[in-house]
Amino acid sequence: MRVRRLKRLLLLGPYVIFLAVMLLCIGLFIMICRQNERIEALEEEIDHLTMNQDSLIEKVSSIDSSVDELGSAVGAISNELSLIDISEYEGKGSRANVNTVWPTKVYLTFDDGPSPNTGKILDILNKYGVKGNFFVVGTDNPDLQKMYKRIVDEGHVLCMHSYSHKYNEIYSSVDAFTKDLNKLGSLLNEVTGITPRYYRFPGGSSNSVSSIPIEKFIKVLDERGMKYYDWNIVSGDATNPMLPADRIYENSLADLNEYEEAMILFHDLANKTSTVEALPRIIEAIQSRNIPICPIDDTTMMIQHYTKTN
Ligand SMILES: [Zn+2]
């Protein structure tokens, strides 16, 4: 029996091995097929991603060209804007109500003269055909007194700024203020034949020097039918040492568009050389915007630091 079984096993052996090998091959074949499928799927995915990348690149380049187009459109608009002549809006009275782009009037005011610089400033103003406003102090120098007359004769506005310009004297009492005012008024009338009607308080109407309320001094002016003006633009020429002309130019123009009427504060003292140097460029810049440079008159806005409603 055992021998027969052994023979059967020996006969079946190769078949079993063959079957096992066949099964192994089939198994391997299935595994290879599956791996191929995966590779194909991955290849497809890579293709898809590549296509997406291409379309993204296309989109980015189209955005780039849109940005370029926008840039040139903005450039074209800027050009158009710079070509618009603001004189179209001049004198219509509505500009300041809607949106004050530039003032309707500019007043150039000069304090603390006369000095040898006053003559130079008058020459510049005359050259450009504009009128200035001179808030003068008192002097007994006959040469400087001639400047009072030049101011009036050449059509500029002679205004008062106290005779002594000494804060501690002028503001010590109403009586002292009045005497100082009368002294300057008499001198100017004697030299020029007119008595100025516009006044600027030394240090401005909001100065903190006077211990007496400023209303008391304003009352003195009111009684004489006089008006006082401060300023809303500071050229910066009061500093010591003097600012260079470039800075005075920049300061004078920097805030111009904030006011319906702009009153710029300058000084025509003897040492204010950079004011004289900056003035032609300042006038040219204002005139290039077609803004009138005006003498103060009774239609001028009340540009005051202190008002009764304060
Ligand atoms: Zn002054």
Side-chain angles (χ1 to χ4, degrees):
M1 282 293 281
R2 273 189 188 169
V3 175
R4 200 183 290 167
R5 241 186 234 171
L6 199 65
K7 272 186 184 170
R8 199 183 290 165
L9 271 173
L10 281 170
L11 281 172
L12 281 172
Y15 291 110
V16 170
I17 290 165
F18 177 75
L19 204 65
V21 169
M22 281 296 287
L23 283 172
L24 195 66
C25 286
I26 290 167
L28 278 170
F29 180 74
I30 290 169
M31 275 175 72
I32 287 165
C33 285
R34 278 187 186 163
Q35 286 303 327
N36 277 341
E37 274 172 25
R38 262 190 215 170
I39 287 165
E40 275 172 24
L42 278 170
E43 279 176 352
E44 253 178 58
E45 213 166 299
I46 287 166
D47 283 349
H48 193 64
L49 281 171
T50 310
M51 276 169 64
N52 277 352
Q53 193 185 349
D54 287 347
S55 94
L56 266 174
I57 288 167
E58 257 175 54
K59 275 182 191 165
V60 167
S61 68
S62 102
I63 288 169
D64 273 352
S65 57
S66 298
V67 168
D68 285 348
E69 277 170 29
L70 262 175
S72 32
V74 167
I77 290 167
S78 301
N79 278 346
E80 294 268 326
L81 281 175
S82 68
L83 290 172
I84 292 173
D85 184 356
I86 63 163
S87 64
E88 276 180 38
Y89 305 99
E90 207 56 61
K92 290 185 181 169
S94 59
R95 180 173 48 148
N97 297 336
V98 179
N99 180 20
T100 303
V101 180
W102 294 106
T104 53
K105 289 176 184 173
V106 171
Y107 300 92
L108 306 178
T109 68
F110 303 90
D111 286 13
D112 301 354
S115 82
N117 277 333
T118 309
K120 293 177 190 167
I121 289 172
L122 284 168
D123 291 343
I124 295 168
L125 297 176
N126 294 341
K127 182 187 161 197
Y128 287 93
V130 297
K131 301 301 178 197
N133 306 279
F134 292 83
F135 289 89
V136 299
V137 297
T139 176
D140 51 13
N141 179 329
D143 287 335
L144 294 181
Q145 285 182 353
K146 284 177 191 162
M147 289 299 158
Y148 299 142
K149 185 120 175 65
R150 254 196 85 182
I151 291 168
V152 174
D153 289 351
E154 292 171 15
H156 305 279
V157 187
L158 185 67
C159 315
M160 293 205 262
H161 189 44
S162 80
Y163 189 98
S164 72
H165 203 275
K166 290 176 183 161
Y167 294 11
N168 56 351
E169 285 179 18
I170 303 158
Y171 296 130
S172 63
S173 68
V174 171
D175 189 43
F177 178 84
T178 308
K179 276 185 182 161
D180 180 275
L181 184 70
N182 289 343
K183 189 177 178 185
L184 182 61
S186 302
L187 171 66
L188 297 180
N189 187 274
E190 194 183 305
V191 175
T192 68
I194 64 155
T195 304
R197 293 180 44 241
Y198 305 121
Y199 188 85
R200 176 169 284 162
F201 288 102
S205 63
S206 59
N207 77 79
S208 53
V209 184
S210 173
S211 55
I212 296 170
I214 200 82
E215 287 106 323
K216 301 221 174 187
F217 304 124
I218 293 171
K219 193 163 168 274
V220 175
L221 299 176
D222 284 345
E223 284 164 2
R224 285 161 171 73
M226 293 180 71
K227 292 180 177 181
Y228 69 95
Y229 284 95
D230 290 303
W231 56 88
N232 49 21
I233 306 266
V234 175
S235 70
D237 70 352
T239 58
N240 207 353
M242 264 301 273
L243 288 178
D246 284 350
R247 289 286 307 283
I248 291 173
Y249 169 82
E250 285 162 17
N251 289 341
S252 301
L253 300 171
D255 300 325
L256 266 192
N257 59 347
E258 287 185 16
Y259 300 99
E260 189 176 346
E261 292 189 13
M263 193 168 279
I264 311 177
L265 173 65
F266 298 101
H267 294 83
D268 58 334
L269 283 164
N271 62 340
K272 305 298 179 189
T273 48
S274 43
T275 305
V276 178
E277 193 187 333
L279 193 58
R281 276 192 287 156
I282 293 168
I283 295 172
E284 283 166 21
I286 296 167
Q287 288 187 329
S288 73
R289 295 181 173 97
N290 292 310
I291 304 165
I293 295 172
C294 298
I296 294 173
D297 62 23
D298 286 346
T299 67
T300 302
M301 280 178 75
M302 298 311 295
I303 295 164
Q304 296 172 329
H305 298 167
Y306 176 89
T307 57
K308 280 175 189 169
T309 52
N310 281 355

